[in-house]
Amino acid sequence: MGNCCAGHSDKRSFRGGSYGVRNVCCGKRTVRQGECAAVWGFSGEYNLHPGPERFWMCCSQVTFLDRFIAGPREYIAVKKRDGVLEHVKGPYAIFMDPVRYERLEVKPAIALGASEVCVLYSQPREETDVESDEVVHAEDVAACTTKSGKHKHHHHDGLPTGASVRKVIRGPTVFIPNSNEWLHEFKWTDIKESFTKLPLIPQSLECKVKNVRTTDKILLDVFVMIFFEIADVEQMLDNTQDPIGEFFSVVTADVVSFGSSNTYEAFLTNTPKLGDIEQYPMLLARSSAIGVHVNKVVYNGYRTEESVQQVHDQALKERARLQAQQEINEHEQTQLDLKLQRAIERSQREYEMEAKKNEFDREQKNIEERASLSLQQLQHVEQLAQKRADYELEEAHLQQLQHLGVDLTQFLTRAGKHVVQIEAPPTTTVHLHSDSTPPNK
């Protein structure tokens, strides 16, 4: 940061304006290198003595000049005694010559971020030749005139003439305005201090719309938040000086229009619509006209009179109680329905299980009967086979006896066999009935 080096009583430091004005009857002064002394003689003549120098004076006044230093990102605003303004870019150093300069001020260069702009105005200057004092530079102060207060002519800034020219400086950059240029100061509603750097990033604005009257004469204070960003700086400068103030006006008109078309209950029901950007036609139209893009609008609630709010709160409590009771009743009915449904489902499952069990028993019984019949058939077949084998064996035995010349009739009779001998013609049909009762022995 630039600074002014003022003088001190310590001999090791540089002397400056705090040295004061000293009256010297007859004496000398030593001006060290880096200092500059101003001397007024007995007759009022004025001379500068830049260091290093040692000089004598008589009946004079002497003072030391303050040294102003501007760094690489600073500049010195010089206002001369003749009204001429100059901006000297740093790095630079200059002494405050009270005869030539009315004021010296070290100012920082204007640094803009990537999302910032500033508006610069300038007026054309006329370059004229006038007799004026030169700037007393700290580095060149030894070349200043010490005997005479006059210097050679040079060009300097004249009075601004003609129309102002506006230009927008966009960041990121660092610049120093010329003496005929000045920055536009933005003074917006709801912002306490003016500013020169205009941010282009998205911003938010809280709006409180007072005394919104519904159709049933209820007064409300509605709170909304606007999210916006500046799209066209030139268009904004041409059409408004205070976009925030205009936002307040048009949002108030939109919200009042919304409230006047709803009753209090309808307003509370339709409050979600206040978060829809399409609900703000005047805001959208005006923001488009001044080069500002509105991204969205968020509804942040409302506030009303305490009495109305109490009535509404009581109504809400009663509504909540009734709703809770209704939910309890519905829950009980649901539980009863559920129990009944479960009982019906349980009975249905028991019936199905009983039917499946009966079907299983029938199938099991059929299987057992079929198995029993199969077993009887097998036993009968085995019995028949056994009888057939016995008959065949007996027949073979009798045939052997017949071959041996045994009378089979007598043999069978003696063996206790019942033998029936029938003698009849071949064409005779014989029916023989046998009693299954065994003969008595």
Side-chain angles (χ1 to χ4, degrees), residues 62-310:
V62 61
T63 187
F64 284 84
L65 306 182
D66 287 330
R67 187 169 185 256
F68 289 80
I69 303 172
R73 299 182 63 176
E74 298 172 325
Y75 67 97
I76 301 176
V78 180
K79 183 177 181 181
K80 298 183 179 181
R81 289 289 182 179
D82 58 1
V84 176
L85 297 176
E86 289 184 355
H87 288 178
V88 183
K89 298 179 181 180
Y92 207 73
I94 187 173
F95 286 105
M96 176 57 190
D97 187 345
V99 174
R100 297 180 177 86
Y101 310 130
E102 179 181 341
R103 184 180 67 252
L104 296 180
E105 185 178 0
V106 178
K107 296 183 178 181
I110 299 173
L112 297 177
S115 60
E116 293 179 325
V117 300
C118 67
V119 180
L120 194 67
Y121 292 94
S122 62
Q123 285 185 329
R125 295 180 298 185
E126 292 183 355
E127 297 294 336
T128 59
D129 292 335
V130 299
E131 185 174 322
S132 176
D133 300 328
E134 291 181 337
V135 175
V136 184
H137 300 173
E139 293 79 358
D140 303 330
V141 71
C144 293
T145 305
T146 58
K147 301 298 182 180
S148 172
K150 294 181 182 283
H151 300 271
K152 63 181 180 179
H153 295 174
H154 72 291
H155 294 286
H156 70 95
D157 295 338
L159 295 176
T161 59
S164 299
V165 178
R166 184 182 67 199
K167 59 182 177 180
V168 178
I169 308 297
R170 300 182 180 273
T173 187
V174 177
F175 75 96
I176 295 174
N178 295 322
S179 60
N180 66 322
E181 296 176 334
W182 66 95
L183 292 174
H184 179 86
E185 290 190 3
F186 296 95
K187 296 180 181 179
W188 290 358
T189 303
D190 207 38
I191 299 179
K192 295 181 179 179
E193 298 181 356
S194 62
F195 59 96
T196 58
K197 297 179 182 179
L198 182 65
L200 298 181
I201 58 176
Q203 304 176 62
S204 61
L205 173 65
E206 294 184 359
C207 294
K208 176 182 178 181
V209 183
K210 297 182 179 181
N211 299 327
V212 178
R213 187 181 297 272
T214 62
T215 56
D216 49 357
K217 309 304 180 183
I218 302 297
L219 293 179
L220 304 172
D221 292 341
V222 181
F223 303 90
V224 296
M225 180 173 287
I226 305 171
F227 293 85
F228 67 96
E229 58 183 321
I230 299 173
D232 192 330
V233 179
E234 294 283 355
Q235 185 179 359
M236 184 192 70
L237 295 172
D238 290 339
N239 292 279
T240 183
Q241 291 292 328
D242 185 6
I244 302 300
E246 299 207 19
F247 279 173
F248 278 117
S249 299
V250 293
V251 168
T252 298
D254 286 328
V255 174
V256 168
S257 175
F258 178 82
S260 63
S261 60
N262 290 274
T263 63
Y264 179 68
E265 291 294 333
F267 180 89
L268 299 183
T269 303
N270 296 326
T271 49
K273 293 182 179 180
L274 290 176
D276 184 5
I277 195 172
E278 299 299 330
Q279 194 63 42
Y280 302 87
M282 286 182 278
L283 172 63
L284 294 177
R286 188 54 188 163
S287 62
S288 176
I290 63 177
V292 179
H293 177 68
V294 177
N295 297 322
K296 62 179 179 179
V297 179
V298 177
Y299 169 68
N300 282 344
Y302 75 98
R303 185 173 60 194
T304 185
E305 297 179 357
E306 185 176 356
S307 58
V308 176
Q309 189 64 39
Q310 288 178 354

Side-chain angles (χ1 to χ4, degrees), residues 357-382:
K357 183 178 180 299
N358 294 335
E359 184 178 359
F360 176 77
D361 292 341
R362 288 195 300 271
E363 291 180 357
Q364 188 70 21
K365 185 176 181 180
N366 292 335
I367 292 172
E368 291 177 356
E369 291 178 353
R370 287 195 297 270
S372 178
L373 291 175
S374 299
L375 181 61
Q376 290 177 5
Q377 289 178 356
L378 290 175
Q379 290 177 352
H380 181 67
V381 171
E382 289 179 357

